[in-house]
Amino acid sequence: MALDESVRAQMASIVERYPRSRSAVMPMLHLAQSAEGEVSDEAMRVIADMLDLTTAEVTAVATFYTMYKRRPVGKHLIGVCTNTLCGLLGGDAVYAALTDRLGVGHDETTADGMFTLERIECQAACTHAPVMTVDWEFMDCQTPSSAVEVVDRLARGETVVSTRGPAIRDFEATEHTLAFPDDGLAGQGGEADDMMLAGLRVAHELGMSAPPVPGQES
Amino acid sequence: MATPLTPVITAHWDVPDLFTLDGYRRTGGYRALPKALAMDPDAIIGTVKDTGLRGRGGAGFPTGLKWSFVPQGDGKPHYLVVNADESEPGACKDVPIMMANPHALIEGVIISSYAIRANHAFIYIRGEVPQAIRRVAAAVREAEQAGYIGTNILGSGFDLRVTVHSGAGAYICGEETALLDSLEGFRGQPRLKPPFPAVAGLYSVPTVVNNVETITNIPWIINNGVEWFRLFGTEKSPGFKVFAVSGHVVRPGIYEAPLGITMRELLEYAGGVREGGRVKFWIPGGSSVPMLNEDHLDTPLTYEAMAEAGTMLGTGTPMVFDDTISVVKSVTRWLEFYKHESCGKCTPCREGTYWITGMLERFEQGHGADADLDLLNEVCGHIMGRSFCALGDAAATPYPAAVQLFRDEFVSATRTPVDETFPPAAGYVFSAVGAR
Amino acid sequence: MTIAEQSAAVQPADVVTVTVDGIDVRVPKGMLIIRVAELMGIEIPRFCDHPLLDPVAACRMCLIEIEGNPKPQPACAIAVADGMVVRTQRTSEMAEQAQEGVMEFLLLNHPLDCPICDKGGECPLQNQAMSSGRGTSRFEGHKRTFEKPINMSAQILLDRERCVSCARCTRFAEQIAGDPMLELLERGAQQQVGIGPDAPFDSYFSGNTIQICPVGALTSSLYRFRARPFDLVSTPTTCEHCASGCSLRTDVRRGVVTRRLAWDDPEVNEEWNCDKGRFAFQYLDRGRVETPLVREAGALRVASWPEALDIAARGLAAARGRTAVLTGGRLTREDAYAYAKFARVALGTDDIDFRTRVSSDEESRFLASQVAGTPMGPTYADLDRAPVVLLVGLEPEDESPIIFLRLRRAARKNAVPVAVMSPVLTRGTEKMDARWIPCRAGGEAAALAGLAQSDPGLLAQLSTPGAVILVGERLAGVPGALSRAAALAASTGARLAWVPRRAGERGALDSGALAGLLPGGRPIGDPAARAEVAAVWRVSPDALPAAPGRQAPQVIDTVLADAERAQRDEPREYDALVVAGLELADDPRADDLRRALEDVPFLVAFATHHSEVTEHADVVLPVAVVSEKAGSFTDWEGRSKPFSAAIRGAQSVTDGRALAMLADALDVPMGTGEVAALRAELDALGRWGGPRTPAPDEPATPPAGGTALATWRLLLDRGRLQEDEPHLAATARPTEAVMSQETATALGLSGRATVVLTGDRGSVEVPLAIGEVAEGTVWAPMYSEGCDLQGIGLHHGAGVRVTGGAA
């Protein structure tokens, strides 16, 4: 799919956010990826033209960051954290189960184009280990069976809701969010979960709180 | 006497709509802003200096001091850049802060920008956490609509733009100068210092780069003052800290407490090690700081005490591993991470992580070479202090600490694959926390 | 030791004292440790460091110890501070171990394929591995491998597994050339140098990356696998391609030029050169005239030197006083001088001109008054700190690439304001951060004349001491332009320099190879000037022509008129022509020149190569190319750049030597014609100290209506010396006609893919591109593939008919 006028117009609007146009290259690459499911050569040429860069300069950026894909990604990008903590607490088993179920390995896409599977690095959610992501939305505290169920339901077109975010859309939709983050979905995902509230609940149970401001004790 | 939990930043996280402007305002939010805008910017810098607040991103540099390096009256634009690229293995506190209470961060951003005379602030959030990015972006929009961001904020004459920027998958961008290059649209590789960002940062003008948690402290400091802030923690490590406890504990999660609390106390609040387990090793603040064993459970979690124990407080997000876990495998995974995330700029990090990882993977397979036990230490020594930035130092950290505490395990891995010695399933937590 | 004392300009406040390996030195503040060590003769190993590139401290090879610092520090990135105590690998175990560690890392993934690598034998990695590395490797894993080699351009190849990621090439591309088409791609251990999709590294300066690559990762199509460094005989030479004056190193293997490198000349090209200078040398060996040739029964046949000289002498003796000499712009100063002397002494004529290109009498008078025989300057160094540099009629990236690099650096590093008066806003102008002063093609004279009104700010800048005006070749074709430039310089006090395109032009001018001018800028009409020259030439002053002779255009006119005179049985003005190094396509009247060569009764050609010129000659005398002879070029600054023969023992005869032999055959004493003798005469002649002719004062004629053509020769085009260079040619810029959107619309060309440019003698159809071009002007390359504009009767400033081509 080519980058149509509307995508180009959105790209141009990104430039406005920054004092210097080159800063827009990352969100523009996210946007290109939302339109094409990958960062194509054509997209890099378009971005280079808009920002008065060489395509080498854009390629240098596009190939540095792991979220930019230079090959088409499936409808859903499934990530399993296999860094030490998640991996050894069960992420390895989750990943293995998904490999079995999908019949693909790391950085591979199912024949039907539905899923690309990746081992991913730490997602800043170690308290929620083992962590899986679907189109980068959190699917916390997974087991092999829960993870397989997630992809099975997605494969059947059923709604799957992120544990701390909105209902799963697809990879391209998330990439659009990364370019235009105020997507109206901030209210999804609810309030803080058990892990985020763990300490606060203990404090409440034990009657603990921060000390009052000196002179304002009541 | 046990150190109590002291929720400050997290105190209202159980308010259902805290992440909205209304929710935050109901809990007292945006009360610090008018107060700050009525102050002289230098007085804010002075206040932050007096609190002794140290950066919560890992390095622990005094925040007020950093702000005071920004030359004032230089006629140049200044920028505030919030480092929300939380990617360190084990670190998981900034993302929860942004998800649960983004407006506290935004209020901190506005006040901090005012203090350093920045009229444009950037929040660089790693791209892999869209829900955190959404909530911060929505908070920025709400704050704009409420007149907290924009021109002539609350009639003060102060103008501010805030731009939320999504990263795209590069741990190195947590290094502040790499982050700046990334934000300028380049490959996120670290810059030569000097000049430091406070003098020549984003677009080569004075820039302060601060961590999310650091900036989120600011509204409370303005509201409650220096004396209150120093009620928490120690002389050298004042204040409260959002600890994130992960691993083989009964209740992994966020625990906010004064600096100086011990790991044993945190463990207790987290319900202790899971049933049948004991602490084999733990890491106070991300994989980049040396691991400790049970011997240091009573060491205060402060910058100074951790340094004395031979490690660092780092991000203050302890990972706890019980004795089902292979230290060889743990270190190998971390090194695979560092190899994957090495930016490639400098030789020791680029090539050293490649070499170390290869050697460790042979240990994991049970084919480690005896000679490699010492060679690994030597190679780590050739990276430590010689790489361009701290990523290399971080990569050179796990092995020496691990082999010092658990040499026998590495020796065993010269003969026996670690999965035989430590059956992987034993480490899994599925029975403890099921999927929802 | 006080390095600082070498420079009187350094004030004590700017001097610091540091200790390196126990030795105290006083050096300028801000100097990098690695440079201080170099000056002391201490070599700290390095890869990413390059004195002309911004430091990156990436390779970590130069780690040294600084007292008080627990960690080793990169010597390439840290400036010395007063009292700093530095210990290099010679005195510090910390430094030595750090360097050894880094070297072991560097070799980890390096293929160690030195025996088949071009760099082997001259490789910094190889050398420093020997001096700073371990004898054996402790790495037992698998080395990274890549598909090899891959093209960065038609000319530049990359073997990625050899790369050490020092980023010298990518920094060169971005910082020096301003062509960031070569970048580091990917990350970590996969980091590699590369280009964008379908966007080769077609920089005019790309070859420099090969030279500064500290390993064998970058190689050239031309040299790859051709030689080992130790099989090469190297000679310092001067580039013959333009008037920039680059010092080169010419490497010869078994009598054949195999490679040319930029050589270090801090005053001129620093350590850089352009790709034409580096890669265009196949012509040296191809298509050479190897023996004298004489015409017999309408065809050329091989002759001996004595026979050919005899025939030439008889023909020229019969034509004494009725002969003209056209020398082309490529001769060395010494050879040009030999023609200047030969014309006056042996042929009794002042009809001599080195310009077979666009030229005018106004230009002659401009050169006589402003340039010929003047002392050196302004110089490259004067560009570095000038309060302003104004370029008129000059596109330095194409026409004098080292001026371009120097101005780019001056703008980047010293914020020197550069202003370019031109019909076209080029990438080159942008890369110099220059201000574009648009002017219609052919409107340069008017624009210069009106500068006081249109741009008083620039006028004020030009009035600041040190300001420089550079004028280019094409102003010779714009009536009034050179007059106005001279007037502007006179009124503002700005220094004026004329930048010719050809390497030999300034030397030829200074040596008297122009009608009206004897060597040293002496006006031939001045009896004192004639007397000075006659004394050195040991002839009677009366034997020298006393009136200025004909310039090239008049020579051509005269020969053509002769043909008509001959038909009317009237006597000819010319019975012979002597030509050397002509390229017909250079001349805006190439057809006329061709006809003149055909028509003239007797044509003697001194030639290195077979060409259209030799086809018409009655006698062809083979002469040496630059690699076979000694000589010198005078660059645009007026700086003499002498060189010696790169190919030793070559049998070729220089023009000077051949002229001496011919003079002997004419029984005119000319001396030996050896380079040393010619130089000695030039030295003895020196510069003219008498009154100079006044500057021309032609009015600025307003440009004609209609569409005007802007054009110049691109660096890489169809020039003779670039023949047989397919890799180089593939990096040339595409042929296209450029105009503004407004002009295209006004001409009804919207939507056209190509346009047809029509001149007096034909048309060309070229692709249309939209760019920033002055209103009513279309730009196209003068002599590129499919676009010979002079050949169809067009030149810069001429009116051109532009019509739509393919849609």
Side-chain angles (χ1 to χ4, degrees), chain A residues 16-20 22-27 30 53 57 59-61 63-68 82-85 87-94 121-130 133 135-138 140-144 146-147 163-166 169 173-174 177-179 181-200 202-206 208-214 216, chain B residues 3-8 10-16 19 79 86-92 95-96 99-100 120 122 124 126-131 133-135 137-138 141 161 163-170 172-173 182-189 203 224 227-228 231-232 244-248 251-255 269 319-321 325-326 329-330 333-334 336-337 340-341 343 424 427-430 433-436:
Chain A
E16 309 290 308
R17 297 176 196 165
Y18 302 95
R20 293 196 191 169
R22 183 168 177 151
S23 285
V25 68
M26 288 178 67
H30 279 305
L53 300 174
E57 289 174 299
T59 310
V61 173
T63 57
F64 185 84
Y65 300 93
T66 48
M67 289 177 76
Y68 298 130
T82 54
N83 201 306
T84 304
L85 190 120
L88 273 56
L89 266 63
D92 286 356
V94 171
E121 298 295 4
C122 185
Q123 294 298 297
C126 314
T127 44
H128 296 62
T133 60
D135 307 327
W136 299 113
E137 309 286 359
F138 279 124
D140 302 314
C141 305
Q142 291 300 304
T143 66
S146 69
T163 51
R164 280 188 286 166
R169 299 170 297 162
T174 300
T177 297
L178 296 178
D182 191 15
D183 62 0
L185 298 175
Q188 305 293 305
E191 67 272 29
D193 64 12
D194 291 347
M195 276 62 75
M196 290 163 69
L197 293 174
L200 187 61
V202 173
H204 286 164
E205 274 169 32
L206 301 178
M208 295 173 170
S209 62
V213 178
Q216 290 181 18
Chain B
T3 311
L5 291 172
T6 55
V8 176
T10 60
H12 303 290
W13 281 17
D14 52 355
V15 172
F19 58 84
Y79 296 111
E86 184 171 57
S87 305
E88 168 89 1
C92 50
V95 167
M99 304 250 283
H120 198 159
F122 297 84
Y124 185 109
R126 64 179 302 191
E128 298 96 326
V129 290
Q131 189 61 13
I133 296 171
R134 284 184 185 105
R135 288 206 169 161
R141 182 196 10 96
R161 281 183 74 186
T163 297
V164 177
H165 184 93
S166 308
I172 184 63
C173 292
S182 179
L183 188 51
E184 288 187 15
F186 294 87
R187 299 155 65 74
Q189 295 192 323
Y203 313 122
N224 297 347
E227 198 185 337
W228 170 81
L231 293 175
F232 303 81
V245 182
S246 63
H248 288 134
R251 282 189 301 274
I254 302 293
Y255 295 84
Y269 293 131
M319 287 183 281
V320 178
F321 296 90
I325 295 297
S326 159
K329 195 170 188 167
S330 302
R333 286 293 166 92
W334 281 317
E336 284 168 346
F337 166 80
H340 183 241
E341 298 297 339
C343 80
Y428 297 164
V429 292
F430 305 128
V433 185
R436 295 170 211 177

Side-chain angles (χ1 to χ4, degrees), chain B residues 169-170 187 189 192 340-348 350-352 354-355 375 378-379 382 385-388, chain C residues 55-60 71 97-98 101 104-106 108-109 138-139 142 144 164-165 184-188 191:
Chain B
R187 299 155 65 74
Q189 295 192 323
L192 266 179
H340 183 241
E341 298 297 339
S342 172
C343 80
K345 181 168 189 162
C346 78
T347 309
R350 181 183 69 242
E351 304 297 336
Y354 184 95
W355 191 1
L375 182 56
E378 199 186 320
V379 173
H382 282 314
R386 298 173 189 178
S387 57
F388 191 95
Chain C
V56 276
C59 78
R60 317 304 281 180
K71 299 199 283 190
Q97 284 185 358
E104 190 170 19
F105 285 142
L106 283 169
L108 213 64
N109 274 305
R138 298 181 289 183
F139 176 66
H142 294 289
R144 266 193 312 266
V164 293
S165 277
L184 288 169
L185 312 181
E186 304 292 339
R187 187 171 85 190
Q191 180 172 269

Side-chain angles (χ1 to χ4, degrees), chain B residues 33 37 46-47 49 60 64 66 70 114-115 126 134 186 190 220 231 244 250 269 323 326 338-339 352 393:
Chain B
L33 181 58
L37 292 177
T47 300
K49 246 185 184 170
K66 199 179 217 182
V70 173
Y114 173 71
R126 64 179 302 191
R134 284 184 185 105
F186 294 87
W220 279 277
L231 293 175
V250 174
Y269 293 131
D323 43 19
S326 159
Y338 290 115
K339 177 190 167 194
D393 293 343

Side-chain angles (χ1 to χ4, degrees), chain A residues 48-85:
Chain A
D49 277 354
M50 292 180 84
L51 300 178
D52 197 20
L53 300 174
T54 65
T55 53
E57 289 174 299
V58 177
T59 310
V61 173
T63 57
F64 185 84
Y65 300 93
T66 48
M67 289 177 76
Y68 298 130
K69 307 300 181 189
R70 300 283 286 114
R71 286 183 287 154
V73 172
K75 182 173 194 301
H76 297 291
L77 178 64
I78 309 292
V80 180
C81 177
T82 54
N83 201 306
T84 304
L85 190 120

Side-chain angles (χ1 to χ4, degrees), chain B residues 114-171:
Chain B
Y114 173 71
I116 64 162
R117 286 84 157 175
N119 297 110
H120 198 159
F122 297 84
I123 306 176
Y124 185 109
I125 311 177
R126 64 179 302 191
E128 298 96 326
V129 290
Q131 189 61 13
I133 296 171
R134 284 184 185 105
R135 288 206 169 161
V136 172
V140 168
R141 182 196 10 96
E142 286 183 309
E144 284 168 354
Q145 288 163 350
Y148 299 138
I149 295 173
T151 50
N152 191 20
I153 296 168
L154 302 182
S156 65
F158 174 60
D159 303 338
L160 181 67
R161 281 183 74 186
V162 178
T163 297
V164 177
H165 184 93
S166 308
Y171 166 64

Side-chain angles (χ1 to χ4, degrees), chain C residues 89-105:
Chain C
Q89 72 279 2
R90 305 192 325 159
T91 59
S92 159
E93 205 182 318
M94 181 204 273
E96 190 186 9
Q97 284 185 358
Q99 292 175 10
E100 204 181 288
V102 171
M103 179 54 78
E104 190 170 19
F105 285 142

